[in-house]
């Protein structure tokens, strides 16, 4: 779905991911600032937050530490691993095969590709992250100010927006607290903040 920017895409994941006490949020130290910001959502729900360090002077992730942290996933809990395909900080491109490595160890994977896709191809038929954030601003330049969040269908069902608004609701009750009903045909668009518009889209893949 299209978002105001890459930050808007990342925020959607952060506020809708079902963090709870005992869950884990894992990320690399060279992430986009808005990926760092997701830790606030995680910590507020009692989830643990861990950072994978880099090795100087190459500024690449410590692979031994990566394996150590990936092995700490708890299969019965929600585990989210976030990293940039290309670092906004250093320009280093991290291996895309981390995606399948993490998913095999019960991690949902958030891939920040905002800095990567302007000059590289991201083949989603080969790589299968659960969430992908994109910045069209970095592709087309000013004044687009547009981003995108791509979500796997099975991962979309896990996201739960903590509030509702706009034209995605068919009925809302003012007599019973916290009762509302999404428009059935638009269930896949429940992460939208407002009514559907020409710049709203759903981009699913298997």
């Amino acid at each position: 779905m299209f978002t105001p920017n890459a930050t808007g895409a990342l925020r959607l994941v952060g506020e809708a991911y079902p963090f709870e006490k005992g869950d884990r949020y894992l990320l690399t130290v060279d992430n986009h600032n808005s990926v760092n910001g997701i830790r606030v959502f995680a910590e507020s729900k009692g989830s643990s937050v861990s950072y994978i360090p880099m090795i100087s002077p190459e500024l690449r992730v410590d692979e031994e530490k990566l394996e150590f942290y990936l092995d700490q996933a708890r299969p019965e809990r929600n585990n989210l691993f976030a990293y940039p395909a290309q670092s906004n900080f250093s320009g280093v491109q991290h291996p895309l095969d981390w995606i399948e490595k993490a998913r095999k160890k019960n991690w949902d994977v958030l891939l920040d590709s905002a800095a990567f896709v302007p000059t590289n191809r991201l083949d989603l038929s080969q790589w299968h992250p659960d969430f992908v954030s994109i910045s069209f601003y970095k592709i087309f330049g000013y004044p687009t100010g547009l981003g995108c969040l791509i979500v796997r269908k099975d991962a979309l069902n896990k996201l739960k927006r903590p509030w509702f608004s706009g034209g995605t609701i068919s009925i809302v009750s003012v007599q019973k607290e916290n009762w509302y009903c999404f428009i059935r045909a638009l269930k896949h668009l429940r992460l939208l903040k407002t009514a559907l518009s020409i710049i709203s889209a759903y981009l699913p893949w298997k």
Side-chain angles (χ1 to χ4, degrees):
M1 61 191 71
F2 290 112
T3 58
N5 43 40
T7 292
L10 294 165
R11 178 181 175 181
L12 283 178
V13 177
E15 67 183 9
Y17 192 79
F19 287 117
E20 294 179 351
K21 186 176 181 179
D23 294 344
R24 301 188 65 86
Y25 179 44
L26 175 65
L27 62 165
T28 58
V29 298
D30 63 341
N31 263 301
H32 189 290
N33 207 29
S34 299
V35 179
N36 290 320
I38 293 175
R39 71 188 185 195
V40 177
F41 293 109
E43 291 173 336
S44 69
K45 298 296 179 64
S47 300
S48 66
V49 176
S50 301
Y51 277 94
I52 307 170
M54 293 187 300
I55 298 176
S56 298
E58 296 85 1
L59 299 181
R60 294 192 175 276
V61 167
D62 186 330
E63 294 270 355
E64 290 186 2
K65 291 290 187 180
L66 172 65
E67 293 288 346
F68 170 78
Y69 283 113
L70 290 181
D71 286 339
Q72 293 185 11
R74 299 172 62 185
E76 72 280 8
R77 307 300 309 178
N78 296 306
N79 308 285
L80 181 61
F81 171 44
Y83 80 96
Q86 178 172 321
S87 173
N88 285 289
F89 168 71
S90 66
V92 167
Q93 292 187 355
H94 297 301
L96 294 176
D97 59 14
W98 289 355
I99 298 168
E100 295 308 310
K101 179 182 295 187
R103 296 188 74 229
K104 287 179 180 178
K105 296 187 177 184
N106 299 296
W107 291 89
D108 297 317
V109 178
L110 167 58
L111 183 71
D112 174 24
S113 62
F116 182 80
V117 296
T119 55
N120 300 272
R121 180 184 180 188
L122 180 62
D123 186 351
L124 295 178
S125 68
Q126 179 180 2
W127 310 109
H128 308 109
D130 298 279
F131 313 102
V132 182
S133 60
I134 293 175
S135 171
F136 289 114
Y137 168 80
K138 291 185 177 179
I139 297 174
F140 302 119
Y142 182 83
T144 57
L146 190 65
C148 177
L149 174 64
I150 305 177
V151 186
R152 287 176 56 87
K153 287 182 179 180
D154 55 351
L156 180 65
N157 292 328
K158 177 177 282 192
L159 299 183
K160 300 186 183 301
R161 193 72 183 269
W163 60 286
F164 64 88
S165 62
T168 60
I169 298 296
S170 61
I171 304 172
V172 60
S173 172
V174 296
Q175 295 181 329
K176 184 176 181 181
E177 183 179 356
N178 203 31
W179 190 92
Y180 55 91
C181 181
F182 284 108
I183 298 175
R184 186 176 300 274
L186 302 179
K187 185 178 180 181
H188 56 278
L189 295 176
R190 63 183 179 271
L191 294 182
L192 293 179
K193 292 184 178 180
T194 185
L196 298 178
S197 70
I198 193 171
I199 63 169
S200 299
Y202 173 51
L203 304 173
W205 87 97
K206 295 182 179 180

